[in-house]
Amino acid sequence: MQWNFQEIHQQAQTEAQAINSPQALEAFRLKYLGKKGLVAAVFASLGTADPSQKAAIGKGANDLRGLVEGLIAAKSAGISTAKVSGEQVDFSLPGTGEVLGHTHILTQTMQEIIAVFEQMGFVTIETPEIETEFNNFTGLNIPIDHPSRDAFDTFYLDAEDPSAQGRRLLLRSHTSPGQVRIMKQHKPPMAVIVPGRVYRPDAVDASHSFMFHQIEGLLVDEKVQFSELKGLLTEFCRRFFGPKVVMRFRPHFFPFTEPSAEVDINAEILGIQRKKWLEILGCGMVNPKVFEAVGYPKGKYKGFAFGMGVERMAMLKYGINDIRLFYENDARFLKQF
Ligand code: PHE
């Protein structure tokens, strides 16, 4: 049989040009390279060919295969460019995945702290950021002339407290008024945590902000001891910072707890280049005067309370050295967590 390779090559090229779908490309491939395709037929014809023709036929078949393979490769790159609703979409381009956001590092830290206390049986309750003087100070045994009541230390609103004539509402300066609110509404036994924002008119610097976050803890029952508070906070710090954490309880004073302590974390041991001891929380046994203020029967209950700074915890855990970074919403910072 005589093969006009020149004509066959031209034919293949013309056909390839018209291919516009993956199905047409496959049909083209089968026509030339399939088991019953043209290339196979050319090779098969070698058996009956005139010996003087064999070399030329062999070469023709090989050339044809090479040509068709090349046409298929070139075509399959372009074939995935399909028309979708009149628009050119190149499906062969790499995808541009959705960039998903995630929870802010402070929210993550709060959720982590809350999870540890919930594992230990505490219940989470949120109380309002706008408070009365009674809940923020008086009910917590903070005397009327205490400096923290000063307008330099508390944001007062231009709104009268409906429950106390002549007294203005304020932005809570700590989460401790949550203790008063919850005890006014519920009877012991109770174990609660109160997370949320607090406000103080501090000048902003690397470690101060006019708004920050605290998590308050309160446990009240008939028999509660300081050793239980110590055990709970020690276990909490181990779970939050890891087993290597070193902490100390340092005697302190709060009007609403007696005795009171502050807890410091050894930053050196956590591998942080800052002051050696960093305060993370205040705590103590609930002062009986607070039980009195919320109307609990005298002498019936004991309890402990603590309040920790969330920013401080995150700064220690992740080695962050400037509190302002939390609020600037710079994606380069936030993406790291
Ligand atoms: N409210 C205190 C503060 O903001 C912390 C604290 C809470 C201390 C509960 C003792 C008990 O500094």
Side-chain angles (χ1 to χ4, degrees), residues 303-318:
F304 59 68
F306 55 86
M308 68 180 70
V310 178
E311 280 79 352
R312 280 282 173 89
M313 304 287 291
M315 288 166 92
L316 272 169
K317 185 159 179 170
Y318 300 103

Side-chain angles (χ1 to χ4, degrees), residues 133 156 159-169:
E133 253 189 78
Y156 286 88
E160 196 182 75
D161 174 358
S163 64
Q165 230 196 1
R167 295 276 162 199
R168 281 192 290 162
L169 292 171

Side-chain angles (χ1 to χ4, degrees), residues 4 20 30 40 50 62 80 147 185 189-190 216 248 284 288 290 324:
N4 186 342
N20 62 2
L30 286 173
D50 184 315
N62 280 323
S80 42
Q185 278 173 20
M190 62 168 78
E216 191 82 7
R248 71 176 182 193
V290 179
R324 290 168 290 198

Side-chain angles (χ1 to χ4, degrees), residues 174 176 179 200 214 216 254 256-257 282-283 305-307:
H174 52 174
S176 300
Q179 291 187 37
R200 293 181 195 174
Q214 284 189 335
E216 191 82 7
F254 295 104
F256 35 98
T257 47
C283 64
F306 55 86

Side-chain angles (χ1 to χ4, degrees), residues 1-3 5 42-62:
M1 178 163 179
Q2 280 289 112
W3 298 100
F5 287 113
V42 177
F43 277 120
S45 72
L46 280 172
T48 54
D50 184 315
S52 68
Q53 293 289 308
K54 283 190 179 181
I57 294 175
K59 183 177 182 303
N62 280 323

Side-chain angles (χ1 to χ4, degrees), residues 271-308:
I272 292 165
Q273 302 286 314
R274 298 191 85 198
K275 245 176 34 189
K276 184 171 175 186
W277 292 101
L278 271 182
E279 175 210 323
I280 54 158
L281 63 86
C283 64
M285 301 305 290
V286 177
N287 190 322
K289 292 206 170 129
V290 179
F291 288 144
E292 215 177 294
V294 299
Y296 282 177
K298 212 174 170 164
K300 183 158 185 204
Y301 297 116
K302 291 198 181 305
F304 59 68
F306 55 86
M308 68 180 70

Side-chain angles (χ1 to χ4, degrees), residues 133-258:
E133 253 189 78
F134 182 86
N135 291 342
N136 200 76
F137 297 121
T138 317
L140 291 166
N141 190 39
I142 299 176
I144 208 82
D145 56 357
H146 194 275
S148 68
R149 293 202 186 218
D150 200 281
F152 290 112
D153 286 299
T154 299
F155 286 111
Y156 286 88
L157 302 184
D158 206 359
E160 196 182 75
D161 174 358
S163 64
Q165 230 196 1
R167 295 276 162 199
R168 281 192 290 162
L169 292 171
L170 50 81
L171 292 179
R172 65 178 175 193
S173 56
H174 52 174
T175 41
S176 300
Q179 291 187 37
V180 179
R181 276 186 181 266
I182 291 164
M183 285 194 280
K184 281 202 283 195
Q185 278 173 20
H186 301 276
K187 273 204 184 130
M190 62 168 78
V192 293
I193 47 171
V194 187
R197 294 190 184 94
V198 303
Y199 302 84
R200 293 181 195 174
D202 281 331
V204 176
D205 66 22
S207 47
H208 293 88
S209 161
F210 54 83
M211 185 284 297
F212 57 100
H213 298 75
Q214 284 189 335
I215 293 184
E216 191 82 7
L218 173 71
L219 183 144
V220 186
D221 206 339
E222 291 187 6
K223 286 183 193 140
V224 181
Q225 310 181 59
F226 193 90
S227 58
E228 292 167 326
L229 168 64
K230 210 174 161 187
L232 176 86
L233 292 176
T234 305
E235 180 57 20
F236 164 76
C237 285
R238 288 201 185 125
R239 290 200 200 173
F240 184 79
F241 291 113
K244 277 201 302 197
V245 71
V246 171
M247 55 198 290
R248 71 176 182 193
F249 285 75
R250 180 170 37 77
H252 196 72
F253 172 79
F254 295 104
F256 35 98
T257 47
E258 180 60 31

